Amino acid sequence: MKHVSFKSIEAAIKKVDNLDDDGLERLSETYALAQQTLLGYVMSAALEYENEELEGLLIYYYCLISEAFTQEGVRVRAITDEDIDAFEEPYFQMLDSYFENDDEETLESFCDQPELAQFMAMEISTEDDDGTALSDETATQLFIVTLAMITLLGRAITE
């Protein structure tokens, strides 16, 4: 399996963070159309968690992570409802084990995109340039949802 590298993540950050509002809207539309089922799944988390702050973060990281896969040059097939259904139970079992034992290896082996998983772990635990930090609740929710997205995209690589 092809792994998304830190170099591709950095290129994605540079691209996404330097877009104006119109450019960001076009990029998000492109990735929304390419992965409609995945985006619906990801965005449903903000409603489930009843966390409005999470919604904006999820859109940003959805675009950023999708762009990182593009920067890496990997092709990803569209995620289906069946992919998500088959993924959910083992994912939540892995999360229970991870939170119980705080074992990074469990997380990275399940996700199989170690650099993206490490990137998200750093993102949720680091203050922004302006000194703001996510609440523990929002950080945990963001990590759970983006890790699911990374895992699903990783498993859908067509090479």
Side-chain angles (χ1 to χ4, degrees), residues 119-136:
F119 165 73
M120 283 310 304
M122 289 185 302
E123 282 290 289
I124 64 163
S125 62
T126 307
E127 291 182 351
D128 285 345
D129 292 338
D130 65 3
T132 59
L134 297 173
S135 69
D136 287 344

Side-chain angles (χ1 to χ4, degrees), residues 50-116:
E50 298 177 4
N51 185 338
E52 288 182 29
E53 180 185 10
L54 186 61
E55 187 174 346
L57 291 165
L58 288 173
I59 291 170
Y60 172 78
Y61 284 105
Y62 177 82
C63 289
L64 185 68
I65 292 166
S66 296
E67 181 62 28
F69 275 86
T70 298
Q71 290 290 328
E72 191 63 42
V74 295
R75 298 180 65 79
V76 180
R77 66 171 172 72
I79 306 296
T80 65
D81 287 327
E82 291 78 18
D83 294 325
I84 293 168
D85 290 343
F87 158 83
E88 279 191 316
E89 187 175 329
Y91 181 65
F92 289 119
Q93 289 173 348
M94 181 278 302
L95 283 177
D96 288 344
S97 174
Y98 169 72
F99 286 119
E100 211 172 274
N101 304 313
D102 199 27
D103 181 13
E104 297 287 326
E105 284 185 28
T106 300
L107 202 126
E108 289 176 10
S109 67
F110 186 87
C111 177
D112 202 27
Q113 287 293 332
E115 293 183 21
L116 273 169

Side-chain angles (χ1 to χ4, degrees), residues 2-63:
K2 180 89 169 150
H3 291 130
V4 175
S5 66
F6 280 121
K7 182 179 177 185
S8 294
I9 296 166
E10 289 169 357
I13 292 168
K14 187 175 182 181
K15 179 176 179 175
V16 172
D17 286 356
N18 287 309
L19 290 173
D20 62 13
D21 288 344
D22 289 340
L24 191 55
E25 188 172 327
R26 281 193 303 278
L27 184 70
S28 63
E29 284 177 21
T30 298
Y31 288 127
L33 290 172
Q35 292 287 354
Q36 293 179 24
T37 301
L38 178 61
L39 181 59
Y41 177 67
V42 166
M43 295 310 296
S44 71
L47 295 171
E48 253 181 69
Y49 288 126
E50 298 177 4
N51 185 338
E52 288 182 29
E53 180 185 10
L54 186 61
E55 187 174 346
L57 291 165
L58 288 173
I59 291 170
Y60 172 78
Y61 284 105
Y62 177 82
C63 289

